[in-house]
Amino acid sequence: MIVVGVAGGIAAYKTPVLVRLFAEAGHQVRVVPTKAALRFVGRATFEALTGEPVLTSVFDRAGGVDHVALAASADVVVVAPATADLLARQAAGRADDLLTATLLATGAPVVVAPAMHSAMLAHPATQANLATLRSRGVQVLDSPSGRLTGADTGPGRMESPEAIFAAVTRLLAPGDLAGLRVLISAGGTREPLDPVRFLGNRSSGKQGLALVEAAAARGARVSLVAANVAAPAPHGVEVVPVGTALELQSAMTARARDADLMVMAAAVADFRPAAPATAKIKRQGRDGLTLELVANPDVLAGLAAARRPGQVLVGFAAETGDAAAGPLEQAVAKARRKGVDLTVANVVAGGAVFGADSNEVVLLDAAGGEVARAAGSKRVVADAILDAAAARLGR
Ligand code: CTP
């Protein structure tokens, strides 16, 4: 059974279309609106589309509604639209109406389709609530840009009913990576100069984490080798925290043999200080400081060399281009050189990608040929990478 939660936003006028798509696909659907949602769409509409009672409060029926039973029989709970207020109540774990009580009681996957004015979406409170929900495994759909209510345009529209339907259908289907072991490195290594300083890079780990979330959602058993990643990984994922390139290398190689798919999304430092100081390097008495660096191993090349048949290896190529070649040309050359099955070419000129929530990539095969392009949220890009990898794994 699909539980469709509806919060009180103008986008609720599109929810009956979503409900109808689910019903036509043969699903039993229970609609649980908030009180405010019923000011936008009437109870009768949802009852007619689902043939089921539509209740908003645990006290709507004599004797009370068993929100626990509703939560337990849900295969998925999808909230469309999810307003700023609903997301805040959900993130806080409140249970002051039937929808939030159901969200709190369910063990089923939860998908939310946020819809609100751009300013409310951008507010740190809403962003923090979305981050909290994501960290608990809630799938947060995009809020595309476009015409909002009134004259304003910007991000905050609800995903189309068709896109929400596709995301939920994908979630309900047995995962195409079920039974596979996926090993992903994410974040950026830090190479110590002394006990308090390091050489690092701008990688936030967000694309790697999106890959972890997507692979887990698609049924894989996921291990994450996390180099200084700030956000938590979803429940059920094995997390191996590492600091330096050498630590990352030993964590990856130890797990590589068992992996069906390996993705090197981490930004690995190519060089490390030759002899990190054991005590803090003091400024006093120095006019300058010269560091001697030694090369780190190329972890990806090592994984490629030790790869067994059937294993799929994905590398990233973060290129800025230079006077001699454009970023894509550089990525194609790297794809050919590294001997990996797929290269995710990422154009990072100007630092636009680091820490951002969206990304734009070109996927290249072992010969440097273009396989696909993907743009959108890091989750959308993650699913495109996994689509290409799954095809190579015969899924
Ligand atoms: N990588 C790695 N070990 C390193 C450096 C990079 O495993 N010491 C991996 C990255 O995780 C990424 C891929 O190699 O998947 C490409 O990383 P990138 O920094 O773009 O390339 P480099 O190999 O460092 O090549 P160059 O510096 O010449 O661009």
Side-chain angles (χ1 to χ4, degrees), residues 311-391:
Q311 256 183 334
V312 171
L313 180 58
V314 181
F316 274 65
E319 305 292 357
T320 56
D322 58 21
L328 193 57
E329 267 176 275
Q330 288 179 325
V332 167
K334 190 171 286 176
R336 291 187 183 137
R337 195 169 67 233
K338 289 241 176 183
V340 300
D341 302 292
L342 275 175
T343 299
V344 182
N346 214 314
V347 178
V348 296
V353 176
F354 296 111
D357 290 317
S358 62
N359 202 355
E360 200 173 333
V361 301
V362 183
L363 304 184
L364 304 170
D365 63 18
E370 189 173 317
V371 177
R373 281 176 185 249
S377 66
K378 288 189 171 174
R379 176 62 187 264
V380 166
V381 169
D383 274 309
I385 296 167
L386 292 179
D387 286 346

Side-chain angles (χ1 to χ4, degrees), residues 27-355:
H27 293 290
Q28 185 193 359
V29 188
R30 279 287 297 268
V31 178
V32 183
T34 62
K35 248 189 174 149
L38 290 182
R39 301 176 78 122
F40 293 96
V41 184
R43 201 185 289 266
T45 305
F46 291 128
E47 286 183 341
L49 287 170
T50 62
E52 300 278 352
V54 170
L55 309 168
T56 61
S57 156
V58 281
F59 305 114
D60 267 0
R61 265 210 300 225
V65 181
D66 191 351
H67 56 280
V68 176
L70 186 62
S73 48
D75 297 307
V76 59
V77 181
V78 50
V79 185
T83 55
D85 178 67
L86 188 282
L87 295 167
R89 290 193 289 135
Q90 186 183 1
R94 293 188 61 164
D96 45 6
D97 58 13
L98 183 57
L99 176 54
T100 47
T102 304
L103 285 166
L104 200 58
T106 195
V110 175
V111 179
V112 296
M116 67 200 74
H117 190 272
S118 312
M120 297 170 82
L121 181 61
H123 195 284
T126 305
Q127 289 301 314
N129 290 331
L130 288 171
T132 300
L133 293 172
R134 278 196 190 94
S135 74
R136 292 180 192 150
V138 171
Q139 187 177 340
V140 178
L141 300 182
D142 290 346
S143 311
S145 269
R147 179 81 193 267
L148 303 169
T149 321
D152 292 351
T153 29
R157 285 166 64 93
M158 187 174 82
E159 267 291 19
S160 69
E162 291 74 19
I164 301 171
F165 175 79
V168 172
T169 306
R170 183 171 209 160
L171 202 76
L172 290 175
D176 62 345
L177 301 181
L180 295 183
R181 284 172 185 265
V182 176
L183 175 61
I184 297 172
S185 72
T189 64
R190 291 179 181 176
E191 310 298 325
L193 288 166
D194 68 14
V196 295
R197 304 183 180 96
F198 57 81
L199 294 178
N201 59 67
R202 288 169 178 269
S203 176
S204 65
K206 284 185 179 176
Q207 184 62 69
L209 270 180
L211 277 157
V212 167
E213 284 171 16
R218 292 166 75 153
R221 287 165 67 183
V222 185
S223 296
L224 165 66
V225 173
N228 311 298
V229 175
H235 193 66
V237 169
E238 182 203 16
V239 181
V240 189
V242 295
T244 64
L246 289 178
E247 288 166 14
L248 185 142
Q249 181 189 36
S250 65
M252 288 299 287
T253 40
R255 286 163 184 79
R257 246 171 53 89
D258 292 335
D260 300 291
L261 169 63
M262 295 176 283
V263 185
M264 276 293 295
V268 184
D270 284 323
F271 302 96
R272 66 176 184 277
T278 49
K280 188 180 171 199
I281 300 169
K282 290 293 191 188
R283 181 197 174 116
Q284 244 174 358
R286 286 182 206 269
D287 288 333
L289 181 66
T290 304
L291 293 175
E292 194 194 335
L293 304 179
V294 292
N296 271 327
D298 185 331
V299 182
L300 185 62
L303 295 173
R307 172 150 115 257
R308 57 176 169 74
Q311 256 183 334
V312 171
L313 180 58
V314 181
F316 274 65
E319 305 292 357
T320 56
D322 58 21
L328 193 57
E329 267 176 275
Q330 288 179 325
V332 167
K334 190 171 286 176
R336 291 187 183 137
R337 195 169 67 233
K338 289 241 176 183
V340 300
D341 302 292
L342 275 175
T343 299
V344 182
N346 214 314
V347 178
V348 296
V353 176
F354 296 111

